[in-house]
Amino acid sequence: MPVDEKAYFEDQPGRKFDRCLANGIVKGGGGFVVGAVISLLFLRRRMWPILLGTGFGIGVAYKTCEKDLETFK
């Protein structure tokens, strides 16, 4: 039978920061992959679609993280 873990208030910012970091890695990686595919298929292996896709992914993750961490101000 699983033990019910209590979420202490002190642990919440750390958990949200961990979630933000994981979200940034996933969305940044997703933007990288989308940019790489577009670059390979349509733009003769240019670098800017990869950078743009990664930047969009990290930007979306940053905005989400900013919204999540706003409750601790």
Side-chain angles (χ1 to χ4, degrees), residues 27-48:
K27 289 186 179 178
F32 178 85
V33 168
V34 169
V37 167
I38 289 173
S39 176
L40 289 173
L41 293 178
F42 301 116
L43 298 173
R44 295 179 292 164
R45 295 186 178 111
R46 304 276 184 199
M47 188 65 168
W48 66 266

Side-chain angles (χ1 to χ4, degrees), residues 51-73:
L51 295 175
L52 188 67
T54 304
F56 280 155
I58 291 174
V60 169
Y62 177 79
K63 195 64 175 172
T64 304
C65 183
E66 188 176 41
K67 183 180 173 187
D68 285 344
L69 292 177
E70 193 173 278
T71 58
F72 292 105
K73 286 185 178 180

Side-chain angles (χ1 to χ4, degrees), residues 14-37:
R15 288 184 182 186
K16 287 192 178 197
F17 184 73
D18 289 343
R19 191 177 323 136
C20 287
L21 187 61
N23 196 13
I25 291 170
V26 168
K27 289 186 179 178
F32 178 85
V33 168
V34 169
V37 167

